[in-house]
Amino acid sequence: MSLPKVYVGLPIQEAGLELLRGKVEFKIWKEDGPPSREVLFKELEGADGLISGLPFRVDGELMDVSPKLKVVSNYAVGYDNIDVPAATKRGILITNTPDVLTAATADLALLLILATARRAFEANEFMRSGKWKTWGPDLLVGMEVSGSTIGIIGMGKIGGAVARRAFGFGMKIIYYSEERRLDIEESCGAKFVSMEELLKESDIVTLHCLLNEQTRNMFGEAQFQMMKKTAIFINTARGAIVDQKALYKACSEKWIWAAGLDVYEAEPVPLDDPILKLTNVTTLPHIASASNVSRNGMARKAAINLLEALQGNRPPDLVNPEAWK
Ligand code: DGY
């Protein structure tokens, strides 16, 4: 009997590929940048499964290339690159990779908070460009994180992990989320507040919600104007939750003090994007989950979810249970 045919649309780690060998016949995209639409259309012909990733969109048109397509296993926890309703309509299972990247993403949110508050990237640039003349009382003075108030928007797994780390740093935690998290309230003294109160009270505002139709462009001029002038804004969730022009205005016109970003409206960010010129904006190229442990875990999960679905089992990380009969 022939093995199911799978296309792996990005060069995932060997930890995932070794699980696929002998169980499916797969081809993998290994070039720089994402596969083009043309390549995807060709490779998906007759495919039973696809391992997808953030660099390319999976829509109904692509799904229709193979009437045999049973599963799209996304190598990411977020799945806004996939048209989930289109998949559900076609009975195609969609899966993601939660849990394995929670710690790495929360660590990176803390890194951005500390680096932005203490101007670490600006200081690095300052030193390497020969501007360091002497130790000085006013030299690169930043914001004290310990004792500050952090406002967490979205208290899911990653938001919770950020809260635990913030508690360790002596921050006061307030949060706004779809659901109360009594465990985090108890263990970290976190207080559930309205969005407005969070924006007005926080010294650090950090986003940890999924991108969907409710959260798209949720953060615009009105939200930045409500924040303290001394506050910093952190985004490790998705760029499209924020109106990036409003963010640029808020940072360049000093409505807020600074921002730390790992995600953007358009990725990769064009080099002439004015946001890259601001010294009060710390930027990273979407690497929150990029630790060895997390990426190997994501590769394994992507493979396991795919294999389970192809074997007719309910995959552990199914995001559209309505498609499961
Ligand atoms: C995700 O998993 O959604 C991240 O943004 C990439 O790891």
Side-chain angles (χ1 to χ4, degrees):
M1 219 176 75
S2 65
L3 295 175
K5 191 179 159 199
V6 168
Y7 187 57
V8 183
L10 67 176
I12 68 167
Q13 283 70 17
E14 181 56 29
L17 297 179
E18 69 185 18
L19 299 177
L20 298 181
R21 285 200 191 92
K23 303 210 178 68
V24 297
E25 182 199 318
F26 70 90
K27 239 180 120 175
I28 179 166
W29 173 259
K30 284 193 172 158
E31 319 267 319
D32 270 352
S36 64
R37 277 298 268 185
E38 214 185 341
V39 167
L40 289 168
F41 270 76
K42 183 169 158 282
E43 298 296 353
L44 271 183
E45 264 174 41
D48 300 278
L50 167 68
I51 294 190
S52 58
L54 302 182
F56 59 90
R57 184 149 180 80
V58 182
D59 54 20
E61 200 189 357
L62 191 62
M63 294 170 198
D64 286 338
V65 170
S66 175
K68 287 165 66 192
L69 194 66
K70 278 197 196 64
V71 55
V72 176
S73 171
N74 210 35
Y75 172 87
V77 69
Y79 43 86
D80 46 282
N81 56 312
I82 300 176
D83 185 341
V84 179
T88 306
K89 210 167 101 193
R90 291 162 174 78
I92 297 171
L93 305 180
I94 305 297
T95 64
N96 68 343
T97 61
D99 306 319
V100 289
L101 45 65
T102 301
T105 306
D107 288 348
L108 195 108
L110 259 293
L111 182 155
L112 272 178
I113 291 169
L114 294 169
T116 306
R118 297 299 302 272
R119 304 169 64 183
F121 290 24
E122 193 189 339
N124 181 59
E125 209 33 57
F126 173 88
M127 187 175 156
R128 289 175 184 223
S129 59
K131 293 189 187 131
W132 190 21
K133 302 291 179 238
T134 180
W135 185 92
D138 284 336
L139 184 62
L140 290 157
V141 172
M143 167 189 155
E144 175 108 353
V145 163
S146 166
S148 66
T149 296
I150 184 168
I152 300 178
I153 300 176
M155 192 61 96
K157 289 176 182 168
I158 297 171
V162 169
R164 286 191 290 276
R165 285 157 175 73
F167 183 65
F169 273 89
M171 295 185 223
K172 181 179 159 209
I173 302 156
I174 56 179
Y175 76 102
Y176 173 78
S177 197
E178 270 185 358
E179 283 173 25
R180 291 277 295 268
R181 283 286 303 271
L182 299 180
D183 58 329
I184 301 291
E185 292 186 18
E186 254 169 51
S187 59
C188 305
K191 189 173 154 221
F192 183 78
V193 295
S194 68
M195 177 72 118
E196 190 174 332
E197 190 176 343
L198 182 144
L199 295 174
K200 288 185 173 157
E201 295 302 317
S202 300
D203 301 303
I204 300 157
V205 172
T206 182
L207 286 188
H208 298 287
C209 44
L210 277 179
L211 170 64
N212 54 36
E213 284 328 299
Q214 285 74 53
T215 60
R216 185 177 296 279
N217 265 317
M218 171 179 94
F219 226 92
E221 290 199 6
Q223 285 67 29
F224 286 116
Q225 269 173 341
M226 265 188 237
M227 286 174 62
K228 293 183 186 173
K229 278 200 156 41
T230 51
I232 65 177
F233 174 77
I234 303 294
N235 191 1
T236 53
R238 282 292 183 272
I241 299 172
V242 180
D243 170 354
Q244 204 165 295
K245 286 202 178 69
L247 171 64
Y248 175 78
K249 226 166 154 186
C251 292
S252 60
E253 295 178 13
K254 304 284 166 59
W255 304 353
I256 65 172
W257 188 63
L261 310 173
D262 186 47
V263 289
Y264 310 86
E265 257 174 9
E267 296 181 6
V269 178
L271 263 187
D272 60 356
D273 189 316
I275 203 111
L276 299 179
K277 302 275 174 313
L278 297 177
T279 49
N280 61 343
V281 180
T282 304
T283 52
L284 293 174
H286 202 153
I287 54 165
S289 65
S291 77
N292 48 3
V293 169
S294 163
R295 288 288 160 88
N296 283 330
M298 289 164 70
R300 266 187 233 107
K301 270 204 172 234
I304 291 168
N305 281 315
L306 178 108
L307 292 173
E308 288 295 333
L310 291 178
Q311 284 157 14
N313 302 324
R314 184 183 165 122
D317 305 303
L318 183 61
V319 304
N320 61 342
E322 316 79 43
W324 175 253
K325 67 259 139 279

